[in-house]
């Protein structure tokens, strides 16, 4: 049972990105079922064994509780105190037909219930990850599998990019060449949004870089081939992130890798550690190619219009978000 639970845990890690980012009901339902099945099998296989303490569990449970409170039926008068805006919306909609004695803080309870289930499943996944990865063998195996998966996915994205710029006849308007996309040819790998793929690689790239540094210390003892493999994975994941042309992704990975290198130099007092990180990053930049860098420069130049004004709608989105926050300051308008 324990092995099955562990393999379900790994399968969830691989399935979630491949299921087009797990943003649709069918995909995140499967993801949640896999997480719950893994957790149940782990529990029954360890009923008499030791469970490791989960760091940071209390604040995560409080987040779940806050989402749950949003969807609990409360007396109308209490909602009027806790969330006057929600109360006003109910009074102007349902309240115009019937006298609502009970109502929820969430203005869309159905979406909030779905979000509660999703957030709870993430917390549960984190809790079982602690149990599995506390074992050194499982940690090593998991990192190897995630690195291999990242290399294959990054390789696909690189092929996708190259065939697109040379005009090779492939259905680039489809996600992974197989699924119709309402957004045309802007998808990257299994993700409709380039920023989401960049976010995945932002998480994986520093981990792979950590593996590179780990095997650097044992390369003299017969692990040079592993060092070479992880350097290759780091280059593939880093290059695939750059070619997404995600401005936020490029800025974030630059900052995170810079901080990682600085931390390692301070911690180990060895400049060669920082030099190795820099060397991997330079290889990523070189192997991305001049065409990719031309596109990246063009992408960043789009921030300003020809007249020099900042050319982005994000300020409008932030303004709208600020309005929502001021209208629902205490408990929000409902998750989801």
């Amino acid at each position: 049972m324990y092995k099955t639970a562990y393999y379900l845990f790994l399968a969830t890690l691989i399935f979630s990105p491949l299921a087009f980012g797990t943003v649709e009901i069918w995909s995140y339902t499967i993801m949640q079922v896999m997480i719950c099945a893994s957790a149940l099998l782990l529990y029954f296989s360890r009923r008499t064994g030791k469970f490791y303490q989960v760091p940071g569990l209390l604040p995560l449970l409080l987040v779940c509780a806050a989402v749950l409170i949003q969807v609990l039926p409360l007396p109308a008068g209490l909602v009027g105190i806790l969330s006057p805006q929600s109360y006003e919306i109910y009074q102007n909609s349902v309240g115009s037909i019937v006298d609502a004695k009970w109502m929820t803080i969430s203005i869309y309870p159905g979406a909030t219930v779905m979000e509660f289930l999703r957030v709870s499943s993430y917390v549960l996944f984190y809790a079982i990850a602690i149990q599995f990865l506390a074992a050194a063998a499982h940690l090593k195996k998991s990192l190897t599998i995630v690195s291999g998966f990242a290399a294959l996915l990054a390789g696909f994205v690189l092929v996708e990019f190259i065939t697109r710029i040379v005009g090779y006849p492939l259905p680039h308007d489809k996600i992974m060449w197989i699924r119709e996309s309402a957004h045309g040819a802007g998808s990257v790998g299994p993700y409709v949004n380039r920023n989401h793929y960049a976010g995945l690689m932002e998480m994986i790239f520093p981990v792979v870089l950590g593996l590179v540094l780990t095997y650097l210390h044992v390369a003299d003892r017969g692990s040079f081939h592993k060092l070479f493999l992880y350097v290759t994975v780091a280059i593939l994941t880093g290059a695939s992130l750059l070619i997404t042309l995600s401005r936020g992704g490029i800025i974030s990975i630059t900052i995170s890798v810079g901080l990682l290198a600085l931390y390692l130099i301070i911690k180990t007092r060895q400049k060669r550690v920082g030099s190795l990180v820099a060397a991997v990053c330079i290889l990523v930049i070189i192997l991305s190619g001049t065409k990719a860098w031309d596109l990246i420069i063009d992408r960043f130049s789009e921030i300003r219009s020809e007249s020099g004004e900042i050319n982005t709608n994000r300020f409008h989105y932030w303004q709208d978000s600020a309005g929502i926050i001021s209208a629902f300051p205490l408990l929000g308008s409902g998750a989801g």
Side-chain angles (χ1 to χ4, degrees):
M1 266 198 298
Y2 180 80
K3 276 188 176 180
T4 306
Y6 174 64
Y7 287 125
L8 266 173
F9 164 78
L10 289 177
T12 306
L13 276 176
I14 305 303
F15 168 80
S16 298
L18 288 180
F20 308 109
T22 317
V23 294
E24 298 166 285
I25 292 176
W26 69 268
S27 55
Y28 61 73
T29 299
I30 294 172
M31 178 195 71
Q32 289 165 0
V33 169
M34 292 170 74
I35 292 170
C36 290
S38 178
L40 284 171
L41 289 171
L42 174 64
Y43 174 76
F44 286 116
S45 67
R46 273 199 186 177
R47 275 185 297 180
T48 57
K50 176 185 176 185
F51 283 93
Y52 296 97
Q53 188 175 351
V54 180
L57 184 60
L58 180 59
L60 292 173
L61 291 176
L62 289 174
V63 170
C64 293
V67 177
L68 188 60
I69 288 169
Q70 291 177 333
V71 82
L72 290 177
L74 300 172
L78 181 59
V79 173
I81 296 169
L82 295 175
S83 183
Q85 192 75 11
S86 292
Y87 179 81
E88 186 181 336
I89 289 170
Y90 270 93
Q91 289 297 86
N92 293 334
S93 54
V94 178
S96 62
I97 302 170
V98 295
D99 185 17
K101 302 290 184 184
W102 296 81
M103 57 184 66
T104 62
I105 290 169
S106 170
I107 58 175
Y108 186 4
T112 305
V113 169
M114 296 301 289
E115 196 66 15
F116 171 74
L117 294 173
R118 181 153 49 176
V119 172
S120 300
S121 68
Y122 294 157
V123 174
L124 182 59
F125 185 79
Y126 168 60
I128 63 175
I130 296 295
Q131 311 309 313
F132 288 126
L133 303 184
H138 281 154
L139 176 61
K140 186 177 179 181
K141 188 173 186 178
S142 300
L143 291 175
T144 302
I145 290 171
V146 168
S147 299
F149 166 70
L152 291 173
L153 185 56
F156 173 83
V157 168
L158 287 165
V159 170
E160 190 178 52
F161 173 76
I162 293 166
T163 54
R164 184 178 287 149
I165 63 173
V166 300
Y168 194 81
L170 284 168
H172 291 296
D173 56 330
K174 295 183 177 181
I175 305 171
M176 297 189 81
W177 306 329
I178 56 173
R179 183 178 175 182
E180 294 291 342
S181 172
H183 299 275
S187 61
V188 177
Y191 291 90
V192 172
N193 190 322
R194 73 179 92 207
N195 299 304
H196 297 170
Y197 175 82
L200 176 69
M201 289 301 149
E202 280 172 42
M203 292 187 286
I204 294 175
F205 182 74
V207 174
V208 177
L209 214 52
L211 290 169
V212 170
L213 295 171
T214 299
Y215 282 103
L216 177 68
H217 289 286
V218 296
D220 296 334
R221 288 178 272 168
S223 296
F224 183 79
H225 63 289
K226 291 183 179 178
L227 173 63
F228 176 78
L229 282 173
Y230 284 117
V231 167
T232 304
V233 174
I235 291 168
L236 285 172
T237 53
S240 74
L241 188 154
L242 290 179
I243 64 172
T244 63
L245 310 181
S246 168
R247 292 176 297 214
I250 293 168
I251 292 169
S252 297
I253 199 68
T254 303
I255 294 170
S256 67
V257 171
L259 289 173
L260 175 65
L262 181 63
Y263 172 79
L264 289 171
I265 291 170
I266 294 170
K267 191 75 174 174
T268 63
R269 299 186 184 280
Q270 295 180 12
K271 289 185 178 179
R272 73 167 187 157
V273 172
S275 300
L276 179 67
V277 173
V280 171
C281 293
I282 290 168
L283 282 171
V284 168
I285 291 168
I286 292 170
L287 294 175
S288 298
T290 54
K291 179 64 177 176
W293 277 100
D294 288 342
L295 293 171
I296 289 168
I297 292 166
D298 290 342
R299 176 77 176 148
F300 273 90
S301 66
E302 290 173 6
I303 295 175
R304 290 189 177 275
S305 64
E306 291 181 2
S307 60
E309 296 176 351
I310 293 177
N311 184 28
T312 176
N313 290 322
R314 292 183 184 182
F315 293 110
H316 300 298
Y317 306 152
W318 296 340
Q319 262 187 331
D320 286 346
S321 299
I324 296 169
I325 292 166
S326 64
F328 301 88
L330 184 60
L331 293 169
S333 60

